[in-house]
């Protein structure tokens, strides 16, 4: 009786689990993915591979849309993108990498739009750019650095447009000039 119970449980687990499908096994109709063999939106794991056998994409579909953690790799097997989908929209922290493995940029999505602080880096690991978004639009204080880590530029954006004073820096960190929205220059150059 005990063996029968174990075998029954194993049968249910194996019978109810999904093997990952790949892109060739799905069709897309009005933004919803279906298994080519079924009439219901596909729910289950998804995986795709490059021609060289390296994994390209891995994620989950729920009711025919991307849901949960999705990861993308390049054809050499290095991770290039990772983040979560909720209801087929990017939500939560997302990270993107250069092919050399160095982080390229990261930030948070809310309802498929950038939200909060985003940071990007050069492929040498130095910080390039940092600033906040609200509902997918640049707002607040933004800072830009050169590849050697020297601050180049700093200023504020409102609704994606420059506002207020923008400060440009020399390589030694001193102020090169300040430009304000009234087209007035301050500084040495």
């Amino acid at each position: 009786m005990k063996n029968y119970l174990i075998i029954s449980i194993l049968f249910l687990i194996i019978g109810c689990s999904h093997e990952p499908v790949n892109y060739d096994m799905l069709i897309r109709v009005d933004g919803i993915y279906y298994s080519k063999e079924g009439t219901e939106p596909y729910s289950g794991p998804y995986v795709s591979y490059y021609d060289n056998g390296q994994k390209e994409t891995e994620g989950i579909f729920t009711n025919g849309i991307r849901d949960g953690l999705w990861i993308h790799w390049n054809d050499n097997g290095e991770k290039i993108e990772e983040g979560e989908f909720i209801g087929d929209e990017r939500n939560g922290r997302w990270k993107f990498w250069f092919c050399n493995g160095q982080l390229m940029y990261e930030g948070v999505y809310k309802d498929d739009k950038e939200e909060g602080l985003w940071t990007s880096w050069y492929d040498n690991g130095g910080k390039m750019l940092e600033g906040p978004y609200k509902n997918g639009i640049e707002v607040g204080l933004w800072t830009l650095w050169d590849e050697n880590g020297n601050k180049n530029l700093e200023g504020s954006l409102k609704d994606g447009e420059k506002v207020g004073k923008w400060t440009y820096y020399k390589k030694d960190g001193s102020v090169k000039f300040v430009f304000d929205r009234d087209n007035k220059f301050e500084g040495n150059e």
Side-chain angles (χ1 to χ4, degrees), residues 25-83:
M25 300 168 75
L26 297 175
I27 57 172
R28 185 175 182 190
V29 178
D30 296 327
I32 305 294
Y33 287 88
Y34 295 82
S35 169
K36 286 184 178 178
E37 292 86 35
T39 58
E40 297 295 317
Y42 175 72
S43 290
Y46 171 85
V47 65
S48 63
Y49 294 90
Y50 290 102
D51 290 339
N52 67 5
Q54 290 287 343
K55 191 181 290 188
E56 179 180 11
T57 304
E58 183 175 67
I60 301 288
F61 280 100
T62 302
N63 295 321
I65 57 175
R66 294 171 294 184
D67 196 39
L69 181 66
W70 279 72
I71 303 171
H72 300 274
W73 293 267
N74 65 22
D75 58 0
N76 291 321
E78 290 107 5
K79 191 186 300 186
I80 57 172
E81 180 179 5
E82 176 181 86

Side-chain angles (χ1 to χ4, degrees), residues 82-143:
E82 176 181 86
E84 297 239 3
F85 283 94
I86 298 174
D88 208 36
E89 292 183 338
R90 292 173 286 189
N91 277 282
R93 180 152 306 279
W94 277 73
K95 294 182 178 183
F96 303 84
W97 289 267
F98 289 102
C99 292
N100 68 4
Q102 174 60 47
L103 195 58
M104 182 187 308
Y105 57 97
E106 77 172 318
V108 172
Y109 281 99
K110 181 179 178 187
D111 301 328
D112 220 24
K113 295 178 182 173
E114 297 91 343
E115 188 72 26
L117 186 67
W118 276 75
T119 306
S120 62
W121 293 267
Y122 291 101
D123 62 359
N124 68 6
K127 195 182 285 190
M128 178 194 306
L129 182 67
E130 187 170 75
Y133 284 87
K134 183 166 180 73
N135 203 26
I137 299 171
E138 299 96 338
V139 296
L141 183 66
W142 282 78
T143 306

